[in-house]
Amino acid sequence: MENWLATINRNIHNKNDEIVSQVYSRMLQLIVKTKNKGACHNTSAVLHVILNELGINNSLCIGEVKTGEKYFDHSWIEIDGKIYDAAICMPLDGGRYHPPVFASIDLDSETKTELGYGIPSPGGLDDPAKSIAKTSLGDYALRTPIANRLWLMAEQLASELGYKLDAEKLEHKYASKFRVLRPDSL
């Protein structure tokens, strides 16, 4: 974890990078500490909301990721054409480990990630991922095990970083937002 955080800090070049690194690093620490497996849809949505609220324009994306000859359904965020994916390090099925990706950099190798984001498989998204892609964040938040946890998680994480966000206001503002379906490689 310490090496990952050091790599993130080496990629800070301006005030926006500092904000992104702060929020991303805290989310990464939370994912690893809680062993939050398969939480890409939730954690990427939280990152998206917090960063937007802090003035960092980003896209909340869903699609397939290719690793070697295998594909899996996944969510991540993009800022200025770069991938930010903290959840990739805790896959749902306990399958192959992938280091987190920050600004399209693999945090283990410190080189451009070799993962193919947005590359469609021959079979396409599975039914759960198709459903999430067609579901607004408001409806998605209601379907989680703890209804509306998404908004509360955003409020709490922002608070831990010294930012004041209100869960109810976030829900009102982002409930009608949809993920961007990524069929093509970036």
Side-chain angles (χ1 to χ4, degrees):
M1 172 65 76
E2 294 306 315
N3 288 340
W4 291 345
L5 297 176
T7 300
I8 292 166
N9 287 331
R10 282 193 292 278
N11 284 283
I12 297 174
H13 305 292
N14 56 48
K15 182 65 176 166
N16 281 355
D17 289 350
E18 188 176 321
I19 293 168
V20 173
S21 69
Q22 182 186 43
V23 176
Y24 178 97
S25 294
R26 183 63 192 113
M27 178 60 79
L28 179 59
Q29 291 168 329
L30 180 65
I31 290 167
V32 171
K33 179 182 176 186
T34 61
K35 294 183 170 86
N36 200 354
K37 293 184 175 189
C40 66
H41 303 308
N42 209 29
T43 58
S44 61
V46 170
L47 283 173
H48 169 72
V49 167
I50 293 173
L51 290 173
N52 268 339
E53 288 299 299
L54 299 179
I56 308 297
N57 188 28
N58 69 90
S59 298
L60 175 59
C61 303
I62 189 168
E64 292 178 287
V65 176
K66 185 178 183 195
T67 175
E69 296 303 313
K70 297 186 183 208
Y71 298 83
F72 57 94
D73 300 336
H74 197 56
S75 285
W76 63 90
I77 66 167
E78 297 172 8
I79 302 171
D80 297 328
K82 294 182 179 173
I83 305 292
Y84 293 80
D85 185 2
I88 193 101
C89 68
M90 288 285 175
L92 178 61
D93 62 6
R96 183 169 177 234
Y97 166 86
H98 295 286
V101 175
F102 181 84
S104 296
I105 303 292
D106 173 310
L107 292 184
D108 274 357
S109 69
E110 298 188 34
T111 60
K112 187 176 186 310
T113 183
E114 293 182 7
L115 296 171
Y117 284 82
I119 297 177
S121 71
L125 293 173
D126 64 17
D127 288 339
K130 285 179 187 174
S131 176
I132 291 169
K134 295 176 184 176
T135 301
S136 69
L137 287 183
D139 289 340
Y140 173 79
L142 290 172
R143 292 183 356 195
T144 59
I146 301 170
N148 290 320
R149 180 172 180 254
L150 176 80
W151 317 117
L152 296 171
M153 188 175 173
E155 178 184 74
Q156 176 63 37
L157 187 72
S159 176
E160 291 171 13
L161 295 168
Y163 301 108
K164 185 166 176 51
L165 299 180
D166 179 88
E168 287 182 32
K169 289 179 182 175
L170 296 175
E171 179 181 11
H172 179 74
K173 186 173 181 178
Y174 293 95
S176 61
K177 170 85 176 159
F178 286 83
R179 288 172 173 83
V180 177
L181 182 60
R182 289 287 188 223
D184 300 319
S185 178
L186 296 175

